[in-house]
Amino acid sequence: MEWDWSFVVQILPTLIEGVKITIIATLLGSVFAAIIGLAIAIVRRSKNRLISMPVGFLAEFIRGTPLLVQLYFIFYVLPDLGITLSPLVAGVIGLGLHYGTYAAEVYRAGIDNVARGQWEAARACNLTTRQTWTQVILPQALPPMIPALANYFIAMFKETPLLSAITVLELMNQARSIANYNYRYIEPITLVGAFFLVISLVSVVGLRWLERRYGKID
Amino acid sequence: MGQWAGYLQLILDGAVVTIKLTLMGSALALVMAFLAGLGRLSRFAVFRWLATAYIEFFRGTSIFVQLFWAYFVLPLFGFSLTPLQAGVLALGLNVGAYAAEVVRGAIKSIGKEQYEACIALNFNRWQGLRHVILPQAFVLMLPTFGNNAIELLKASAVVSLISLTDMTFQAQVVRAQTGNTLFPFLTILILYFIMASVISLAIRGLERYLTRGLDGIRS
C-alpha cells in the first residue's frame, strides 16, 4: 500500500477538528488535576487519620488502576446511579482524577521541601492555618514543582487517545473513523503518531525552559 | 449471586491474559531498557544516536497510537501480528524506552571511584560493567522498574481495543450481556489494584534480597 499525499490533504481538516478536542481535553484535564492534586495533598497531611487514611487509600487505588477502566467506570456506571455526563465531561473528570493523584505526589514533595523554620515563623507571626498555607507555604512550594507538574501534563496529553473509547471525537477517534470509512489505515494512524511526536518534542523544549526558569532550588 | 459465578469466570480468564501480557511485555521492556540504556552510554556515536532516536520516538508518541500502528499499519508492510504479539510489542517497546532512561541514570550515578577501581583491577569495560557497576546500579533501578511494570500493567488495558480478550475486554462483554455496569468494572478495578500491589510487594522483596548484608554501606 502506497502513501497517498492527496488523501492526506483530504483528511487533514477532519483531523484538525480532532486536534482541537484533544487540546481542550488536555487543558481542562490539567486544570482539574492541578486542583484535585492540591486537595489530595493537603487532606493527606491532615492530623485526623479518619480523613487522611481513606483519601490516601483512594489515591493509591486510582494510581494503581488503568485510566481506561476508570473512564469506563465514569461513563457507564455513573449514569446507572443517576449521574449522566457528556463524553467529554466524563473524559476530563477521568483524566483530572487520574493525573490528580500523580500531581498530589508532586505537591507532597514540594510541600515537604519547605523548610521547617517557615512553618514555625508562620506560627510565630500568629497566622491562621489558612494564612500559613496561602501566604507562606504555597508561594514557596509551588514554583519548584512547575516542571514536574508540566511533565505529568505532557503525559496526560499522550493519554487523551483513550477518550476515543468513550466516544469523545478527539484526534484518534477522527482518525479511526476516517480509516474505517475509507479502509485506509496507513495515513490517518501515521499522521496521529506524527502529530503526537511533534507536540511532545515541542513541549519537551518548553519543559527545559520551565526547568531553567523555576527548577532551581537555592 | 449464582448467576455472577459464570461471569466472574469470564473476567478471571481475562485476568490470565492480562497477567501473560504484563509478564511478556515486562520481559521485552527489560531487554530493550538495557540495550537502549547502555546504547546511550556507548563510546560509538552510532549506538548513541540509535538509542536516543528509539527512546525519543517511543516516549514522544502515545502507547495507544503505537498499538494501533503495530496492529493496523504493520500488516500493510507485510508483518502480520496477532493481537497478543502486537500488544506485547507495543507495550514492551514503549515501557522499555522509559526504563532505558532509568538504566542510564542509575549507571551514571555510580561514583567515579568505582570506575577507577575497575581500571586498577585491570578489568576491561565489559568485566567492569558486569562485576562492579551493574550490581550496584541494578539495586538503584529496581524501585523505578517496579513503577514501570505497574505502568505497563495499566497500559495493557488498552489492548482490549484491538480485540484482545484481556480483563477490560471481558468486562465490556459482561456489561454487554447483562446490562450491569457496576459489577464488571468494580471487579476489574479491584483485580488491577491487587495485581499492582503484588508487583510493588515483589519488587520491594527483591530489593531487600539484593541489598542483604549491605546495611550501613549503602546510604
Side-chain angles (χ1 to χ4, degrees):
Chain A
M1 197 172 250
E2 288 299 310
W3 183 269
D4 183 357
W5 280 108
S6 62
F7 185 57
V8 169
V9 172
Q10 184 198 327
I11 66 177
L12 217 49
T14 321
L15 288 180
I16 287 174
E17 284 302 306
V19 169
K20 281 184 202 157
I21 301 290
T22 295
I23 290 175
I24 289 172
T26 310
L27 289 180
L28 291 178
S30 301
V31 171
F32 194 47
I35 296 168
I36 289 276
L38 187 59
I40 295 174
I42 291 176
V43 170
R44 282 191 79 167
R45 292 180 70 88
S46 162
K47 292 240 166 51
N48 187 344
R49 290 169 70 84
L50 278 178
I51 301 174
S52 62
M53 293 267 286
V55 171
F57 178 78
L58 195 67
E60 290 291 322
F61 188 86
I62 293 175
R63 218 142 35 101
T65 51
L67 177 59
L68 179 64
V69 183
Q70 290 162 10
L71 289 174
Y72 283 153
F73 194 89
I74 294 169
F75 190 62
Y76 291 118
V77 180
L78 290 190
D80 286 356
L81 306 174
I83 308 164
T84 312
L85 301 165
S86 78
L88 185 61
V89 172
V92 167
I93 291 176
L95 284 173
L97 265 184
H98 193 81
Y99 280 92
T101 60
Y102 284 93
E105 291 298 304
V106 177
Y107 284 120
R108 189 182 56 77
I111 293 167
D112 285 348
N113 269 339
V114 176
R116 243 179 88 92
Q118 300 290 328
W119 290 96
E120 288 160 4
R123 166 151 304 177
C125 291
N126 202 19
L127 299 183
T128 62
T129 312
R130 186 191 164 81
Q131 283 171 324
T132 307
W133 278 104
T134 58
Q135 308 290 324
V136 180
I137 305 303
L138 288 181
Q140 295 181 72
L142 286 175
M145 295 176 199
I146 289 173
L149 284 178
N151 207 356
Y152 279 120
F153 296 151
I154 295 174
M156 177 195 290
F157 168 72
K158 284 182 284 182
E159 296 266 12
T160 52
L162 288 179
L163 300 191
S164 65
I166 56 166
T167 71
V168 179
L169 271 180
E170 46 67 72
L171 179 62
M172 191 68 188
N173 214 355
Q174 297 281 19
R176 277 170 73 191
S177 60
I178 291 171
N180 290 333
Y181 184 71
N182 297 290
Y183 209 68
R184 285 185 71 91
Y185 283 95
I186 182 162
E187 289 93 354
I189 307 281
T190 308
L191 281 177
V192 172
F195 169 78
F196 275 100
L197 192 60
V198 168
I199 294 269
S200 298
L201 291 178
V202 171
S203 44
V204 165
V205 175
L207 192 62
R208 293 277 140 76
W209 181 81
L210 281 177
E211 272 169 6
R212 275 200 308 279
R213 174 81 175 69
Y214 294 107
K216 286 191 211 81
I217 298 164
D218 41 2
Chain B
M1 197 60 220
Q3 55 158 332
W4 294 117
Y7 292 120
L8 190 64
Q9 184 58 45
L10 207 60
I11 288 176
L12 289 179
D13 288 345
V16 173
V17 175
T18 294
I19 291 170
K20 229 179 0 186
L21 202 60
T22 306
L23 288 180
M24 295 200 300
S26 298
L28 179 61
L30 195 63
V31 173
M32 289 313 294
F34 275 95
L35 279 181
L38 293 175
R40 279 203 71 165
L41 297 167
S42 167
R43 275 174 298 176
F44 305 106
V46 187
F47 290 135
R48 286 204 302 272
W49 289 337
L50 277 176
T52 308
Y54 159 72
I55 290 170
E56 290 302 326
F57 179 79
F58 278 93
R59 292 204 316 169
T61 56
S62 150
I63 173 80
F64 194 86
V65 181
Q66 288 158 19
L67 188 69
F68 270 72
W69 210 82
Y71 190 61
F72 289 112
V73 178
L74 274 188
L76 304 177
F77 293 112
F79 302 98
S80 277
L81 300 172
T82 65
L84 185 67
Q85 286 167 337
V88 169
L89 194 70
L91 289 171
L93 290 181
N94 182 279
V95 176
Y98 285 92
E101 292 290 78
V102 179
V103 171
R104 188 178 69 104
I107 290 177
K108 282 190 75 169
S109 74
I110 301 297
K112 216 177 144 199
E113 73 282 355
Q114 299 291 334
Y115 289 93
E116 287 162 359
C118 292
I119 296 169
L121 290 168
N122 203 19
F123 279 175
N124 63 31
R125 276 176 73 93
W126 166 246
Q127 284 174 320
L129 201 62
R130 164 76 185 77
H131 295 290
V132 180
I133 307 300
L134 279 185
Q136 300 177 64
F138 190 65
V139 180
L140 298 177
M141 296 172 204
L142 261 182
T144 324
F145 276 172
N147 289 342
N148 286 334
I150 292 174
E151 291 296 323
L152 194 147
L153 166 72
K154 285 161 56 183
S156 77
V158 175
V159 299
S160 62
L161 300 172
I162 59 165
S163 72
L164 190 54
T165 55
D166 79 324
M167 214 149 70
T168 309
F169 186 90
Q170 301 287 34
Q172 284 282 38
V173 170
V174 174
R175 180 182 73 84
Q177 286 184 4
T178 64
N180 188 314
T181 52
L182 189 62
F183 165 75
F185 288 128
L186 196 61
T187 309
I188 65 168
L189 277 176
I190 291 169
L191 284 174
Y192 273 116
F193 185 64
I194 291 172
M195 288 181 199
S197 307
V198 167
I199 292 176
S200 83
L201 278 179
I203 292 285
R204 220 170 294 158
L206 189 61
E207 199 187 347
R208 208 172 305 129
Y209 174 76
L210 287 177
T211 54
R212 71 200 183 285
L214 289 179
D215 297 338
I217 298 172
R218 280 178 77 232
S219 51

